[in-house]
């Protein structure tokens, strides 16, 4: 009974310390340290698999088919995370164990994608091979929400877990198609639309889980021995 009392008192003291220092309680310094380490040691790029697409091109009188192969794609700038809100700390033990939860928003601000592509246009009665083109993509910014749980059941071995990383909003995606020439102007718009859609897909399916895994690894490496260090 005495140990339970001491443990409960300690937890209340930790939360009180956070409230006293930061109002509602935040872990800004701790999250900033984590994100700084992500920039130094985290993966900054993802290589994309080659893909083939079939597009229908609307040219008013005819609708030729474009078979497009996208190769050597790579996302870069994936470690450019910075905190964009307070890292709010709350305490809960409703699941049967004492857990501190850190919620905050981050900004992924320097994401680019580059790929090569080549295609063949069919529908004119003959096949027309496109020149090699380059796709350069710039994303204005991605708003990222994260939730981190820290299980403090064992105060000598804190257990952090990145519960979720979610892309809340993707900024404007600018696509530059280089190498089409004047004859290929009609292809620029459908290709750009395709690239915007696949970029959003890859951000969701590839980049988001990669960032979650990176945060988990870095937090496990940087978790302090003393829970009060998380509060500044």
């Amino acid at each position: 009974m005495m140990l339970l009392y001491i443990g409960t008192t300690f937890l209340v003291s930790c939360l009180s310390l956070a409230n006293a220092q930061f109002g509602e309680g935040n872990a800004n310094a701790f999250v900033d340290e984590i994100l700084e380490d992500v920039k130094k040691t985290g993966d900054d790029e993802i290589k994309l698999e080659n893909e083939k697409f079939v597009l229908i091109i609307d040219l008013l009188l005819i609708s030729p088919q474009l078979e497009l192969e996208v190769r050597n794609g790579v996302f870069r700038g994936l470690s450019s995370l910075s905190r964009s809100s307070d890292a709010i700390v709350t305490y809960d033990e409703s699941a049967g164990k004492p857990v501190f939860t850190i919620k905050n928003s981050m900004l992924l601000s320097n994401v680019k994608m580059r790929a090569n592509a080549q295609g063949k246009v069919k529908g004119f009665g003959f096949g027309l091979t496109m020149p090699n083109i380059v796709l350069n993509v710039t994303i204005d910014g991605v708003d990222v929400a994260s939730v981190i749980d820290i299980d403090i059941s064992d105060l000598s071995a804190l257990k952090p877990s990145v519960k979720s990383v979610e892309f809340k909003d993707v900024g404007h995606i600018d696509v530059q198609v280089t190498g089409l020439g004047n004859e290929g102007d009609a292809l620029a718009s459908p290709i750009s639309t395709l690239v915007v859609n696949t970029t959003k897909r890859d951000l969701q399916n590839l980049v988001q889980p990669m960032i979650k895994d990176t945060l988990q690894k870095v937090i496990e490496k940087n978790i302090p021995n003393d829970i009060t260090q998380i509060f500044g």
Side-chain angles (χ1 to χ4, degrees), residues 46-51 53 68-76 112-118 131-138 174-179 191 194-195 198-199 201-202:
I46 290 181
K47 293 182 179 179
L48 306 177
E49 293 185 2
N50 297 344
E51 292 188 273
F53 302 93
L68 186 70
E69 182 178 6
V70 181
R71 310 182 301 272
N72 305 320
V74 59
F75 272 103
R76 291 190 173 90
K112 300 180 185 296
M113 192 281 288
R114 188 182 189 279
N116 302 111
Q118 188 176 36
N132 291 327
I133 62 175
V134 177
L135 308 172
N136 285 297
V137 179
T138 302
D174 179 69
V175 180
Q176 297 292 327
V177 182
T178 305
I191 290 175
L194 169 70
V195 172
T198 56
T199 296
R201 177 205 65 189
D202 291 338

Side-chain angles (χ1 to χ4, degrees), residues 162 165 207-219:
V162 179
V165 169
V207 178
Q208 182 173 289
M210 189 209 78
I211 289 177
K212 183 175 184 289
D213 290 344
T214 299
L215 285 175
Q216 181 66 43
K217 292 175 183 176
V218 172
I219 289 175

Side-chain angles (χ1 to χ4, degrees), residues 34-35 38 42-43 46 77-81 106-109 111 142-146 162 164-167 203-219:
I34 295 300
L35 297 183
V38 167
D43 292 333
I46 290 181
L78 304 183
S79 62
S80 60
L81 279 170
M106 300 176 290
L107 180 65
L108 193 59
S109 58
V111 181
V142 181
D143 290 326
V144 185
S146 71
V162 179
S164 67
V165 169
E166 183 178 355
F167 286 2
L203 284 171
Q204 187 77 28
N205 296 341
L206 300 177
V207 178
Q208 182 173 289
M210 189 209 78
I211 289 177
K212 183 175 184 289
D213 290 344
T214 299
L215 285 175
Q216 181 66 43
K217 292 175 183 176
V218 172
I219 289 175

